[in-house]
Amino acid sequence: MNVRVLAAVAALMIVSTAAAAAEPAPGGIAWYGTWQGGLREAERSGKPILLFSAAPHCRGISGKW
Amino acid sequence: MRLATYENKAEARLLESLFVGRSGRLENTVFTILSSDGKRELLHSSRGPIMTFGGTSPLAVREMVDTLGVLSLAYPGKKDAKQEDAGLPVLADLRLALNVAACDNLPLVVIVGGGKSKTSAELEEDVRRLAWSNELTGRALYVRVTDTKQLAAIEAADKKPGVLVVQPDTFGLKGKTLARIATDAGVAKLKKDLLAAVNRFDRESRRQFQHVVEGRKEGIDWKTAVPVTDPGRPPRRGLGSRPAPRRSS
């Protein structure tokens, strides 16, 4: 994934890691795991919601998306 | 936000209103961008970015970047909303959280509520502030537990109020305690102990196919909250293979 993609996603995500225009955090994306939680944060921040849903199992075997 | 498909009835209905595939039913993945009130689609909903943007070619990636850029400019958010006030990104319950933590290959921070020295809300507030620190953002998942019977899934879990950092097992059905932090730990100690535990986390490396084969051998059979309706293969083209009506933007 190129740097421009990362930059665009970081700007849009309601869970942006660019807290105070500081360096990006070393971790990954911090996802809100429930609709209610994510919506609450979106309404607080006024930012759009990037929603991705996936099944946390593969053919009935948990532990892999 | 990232939801777990088929794990909540209300969320499944919402996802179904956003996108169903040619099967006409909710499929494993859904991807979209919504307005901050969750009522309008700002982007054509689909199974994923590859479907929305037409592939993985440089042109498709460029389109994605440009689209995200336009949306971020059009919807910059509230000026007075500070990132450090963002809510804690919790998962719905411990059972699901262990599974998701295994899927993500990340440690799980479990906030065990109750206690006299610090209320659950105060403890969670301390964790929340640390969750958004540069050192910890995106490096752990979070869940709160009030029914301590759920902690039976975690080896060596202390049922007293506090914070546990847990290593999920391979299939996300059980966990092992990496650290336990008491409720009366100050923020500095909480941060130090959380970081130390997160750094001790052992990341597994296992291919999808191997994981499924091993899981079958062990008799793993994850039960979803709503039935799985993904057909598991692309539907045949032709008459009758049309998607269900989608909600209007």
Side-chain angles (χ1 to χ4, degrees), chain A residues 24-63:
Chain A
I29 297 173
W31 297 99
Y32 283 90
T34 65
W35 169 253
Q36 290 301 329
L39 180 62
R40 198 174 309 126
E41 176 56 23
E43 288 175 331
R44 183 198 72 85
S45 67
K47 290 185 181 176
I49 298 169
L50 188 151
L51 185 155
F52 208 153
S53 185
H57 56 91
C58 182
R59 300 186 186 278
I61 310 299
S62 50

Side-chain angles (χ1 to χ4, degrees), chain A residues 5 12 16 25-26 28 32 35 41 43-45 47-54 56 59-60 62-65, chain B residues 1-3 5 11 15 29-30 32-34 36 65 78 82-83 87 99 104 134 138 171 206 208 211 222:
Chain A
V5 171
L12 182 67
S16 170
Y32 283 90
W35 169 253
E41 176 56 23
E43 288 175 331
R44 183 198 72 85
S45 67
K47 290 185 181 176
I49 298 169
L50 188 151
L51 185 155
F52 208 153
S53 185
R59 300 186 186 278
S62 50
K64 281 279 185 203
W65 291 109
Chain B
M1 68 176 77
R2 184 195 50 202
L3 306 181
T5 319
E11 289 178 359
L15 293 170
T29 62
V30 176
T32 191
I33 297 178
L34 302 172
S36 61
V65 170
K78 297 176 184 172
K82 296 178 193 167
Q83 175 61 35
N99 186 3
D104 278 355
N134 274 348
F171 301 105
R206 183 179 280 211
Q208 193 94 2
H211 183 89
W222 177 259

